Amino acid sequence: EKGGYDHFMLKEIYEQPKSIGDTLRGRLLPEQGLIQMDGVYQFQEKLLNAQRIIIIGCGTSWHAGLVAEYIFEELARIPVEVEYASEFRYRNPVITERDVVIAISQSGETADTLAAIKLAKERGATIFGICNVVGSSIARETHAGAYTHAGPEIGVASTKAFTAQVAVLNLIAIKLAHKKGLLKESYYHRLLNELNEIPRKIEDMLKSDAQSRYIAELYKDAPNFLYLGRGYNFPVALEGALKLKEISYIHAEGYPAAEMKHGPIALIDENMPVVVIAPKSGQYDKIVSNIQEVKAREGKVIAIVNDGDSEIAKMADHVIEVKDTMEVFSPLLTTIPLQLLSYHIAVMRGCNVDQPRNLAKSVTVE
Ligand code: F6R
């Protein structure tokens, strides 16, 4: 049932071209210039008129929400707040009928997320769910929603569910932005065509994981890791760090790259591996300076860069290449090598990758 892979996690990482394809199938129609989503259609007016979108989730699903904050604000110009469901539900949040709450959950059973939904519902908000498990409690509790269709995720560490969540959130944001008349037609079509290319690009990237395996071998005994990213790739840094912590039990922290100088830079010495997510799109020059800051303190830089980036290759200790894409889709690609890196490190450390200690696939306790 692992389809020839050693672990479910690896199988699920490699499934991503297919799972994202399944997420997009029947919804993204680039030839017709359309995005079709029943759940969005049903609540289109609410979504278009939302004064604010509040995204709630836990763990990796919260990271997908953070990516969505960048996407929604950039494309659809709707203010977004992203909250841990556990904090939201206990702090007497200000919610009105013009707020739309998007709840993200792979399992659809996370207790804190479910409780947060109930609270927001009582206060009159419209709740839109993004779940992977069909018919789950959260899917049933929400007013409308969109399934991620990533297929069953067995590995405790979330991989394909995350990219599917980000893909669905992209679809929704592009759809709303287009309906609001905020996108030039040519740009809209570019977005549709490029999103459609993502599964193929991931497939290409997955043809070899030799580089992440090689880097894993070198750094598997490091006690700490830092992950840095900016903009759309700041949440990817958080997700990369979480993946490493969960399955390899190495302490890791994700930071917005610019925050490094406000504290974590004190940690950097020749023993600190720093994973920097640095694709060409986005604030490239700024991230190049961040890499220089790390190198000036002899930190070991593992940079995630676009194919053929020679500038960063000169500075970094190692690079892992990803395909080029539009900035809004960047997390869908940059996440992949981070999943592989943590997977290989965990395997080399002899950890139980699919069932890490102390963790459960769905957290139904508060
Ligand atoms: C990380 C992970 C957890 C979950 C979190 C939320 O790999 O699996 O952090 O993302 O427990 O779970 P769902 O999405 O099922 O609500």
Side-chain angles (χ1 to χ4, degrees), residues 58-61 104-108 110 156-158 242-243 246 363:
C58 304
T60 290
S61 295
I104 308 177
S105 176
Q106 188 285 128
S107 64
T110 301
V156 163
S158 188
L242 178 64
K243 271 324 60 117
E246 284 183 292
V363 182

Side-chain angles (χ1 to χ4, degrees), residues 82-136:
V82 190
E83 290 230 39
Y84 284 117
S86 57
E87 288 300 315
F88 178 83
R89 61 177 289 209
Y90 290 117
R91 68 170 175 79
N92 194 13
V94 178
I95 306 168
T96 75
E97 288 174 8
R98 289 196 54 205
D99 289 327
V100 171
V101 171
I102 299 182
I104 308 177
S105 176
Q106 188 285 128
S107 64
E109 303 297 342
T110 301
D112 280 322
T113 310
L114 193 56
I117 291 168
K118 289 183 177 154
L119 172 77
K121 227 169 137 181
E122 272 165 31
R123 300 195 179 178
T126 300
I127 324 288
F128 192 93
I130 296 179
C131 296
N132 194 41
V133 177
V134 176
S136 55

